[in-house]
Amino acid sequence: MLLRYYGNKESSIMKRMKKVLALVFCAVVACVVLTGCASQFHGTWKSVAVESDGKKITKDDKDGGEMVKDFMTVEIEKGGDATVSFSGTKKSVEWEADGDNITLTADGDDLDGKLDGDQLVFDLEGEKIYLEKED
């Protein structure tokens, strides 16, 4: 009788442990998946084109190409920190990703970007900045 009581008790504890372990496993998998998605942004991104009023200037254009190369650099690190260099001015920012979208935040201001193929595109009040990841 005593053995049967402890046997049922142990069975109940084991069931709870299995549920807890299953929840922990799901949480770990969710973290890995979310981190894996964000890792597509990790690295250094440099501007390759700027578009304003429907006119697009690329880094290879004779007129303005050099300006485009140095226009914007974004260094995205793991853990939510990044550095943005914009026309020679460097700023530490925080970043957050959701799928192919990224938001850079500094001093309460947000800059939203989106992956488009192998380019990261930011829309700055109607002007688009196209960046590509450095190898």
Side-chain angles (χ1 to χ4, degrees):
M1 179 94 161
L2 204 53
L3 185 58
R4 200 177 328 170
Y5 173 78
Y6 282 114
N8 288 340
K9 193 80 157 164
E10 188 174 331
S11 161
S12 174
I13 292 171
M14 289 302 287
K15 286 179 184 177
R16 286 184 187 164
M17 288 298 290
K18 285 181 182 180
K19 286 180 183 178
V20 169
L21 287 174
L23 288 172
V24 168
F25 178 75
C26 288
V28 169
V29 168
C31 287
V32 168
V33 168
L34 291 173
T35 303
C37 292
S39 69
Q40 65 190 342
F41 292 106
H42 297 161
T44 301
W45 297 80
K46 286 199 153 272
S47 55
V48 294
V50 177
E51 185 177 342
S52 180
D53 297 325
K55 183 178 179 185
K56 191 173 187 178
I57 302 171
T58 70
K59 66 179 178 138
D60 299 323
D61 288 346
K62 288 182 182 180
D63 295 327
E66 286 301 314
M67 183 269 314
V68 169
K69 288 180 189 176
D70 298 325
F71 190 67
M72 185 176 189
T73 302
V74 180
E75 297 172 49
I76 300 173
E77 301 170 14
K78 294 179 181 176
D81 294 324
T83 303
V84 176
S85 299
F86 189 74
S87 295
T89 303
K90 242 182 185 178
K91 183 83 172 168
S92 293
V93 301
E94 294 178 352
W95 68 275
E96 182 174 281
D98 181 16
D100 287 343
N101 299 305
I102 187 168
T103 300
L104 305 178
T105 304
D107 303 324
D109 294 322
D110 291 342
L111 177 61
D112 296 319
K114 182 174 178 77
L115 275 179
D116 185 9
D118 62 347
Q119 293 186 333
L120 181 55
V121 183
F122 288 98
D123 192 333
L124 233 172
E125 299 177 6
E127 296 183 6
K128 291 187 178 179
I129 305 166
Y130 299 82
L131 298 99
E132 288 183 356
K133 192 184 260 188
E134 288 188 326
D135 293 327

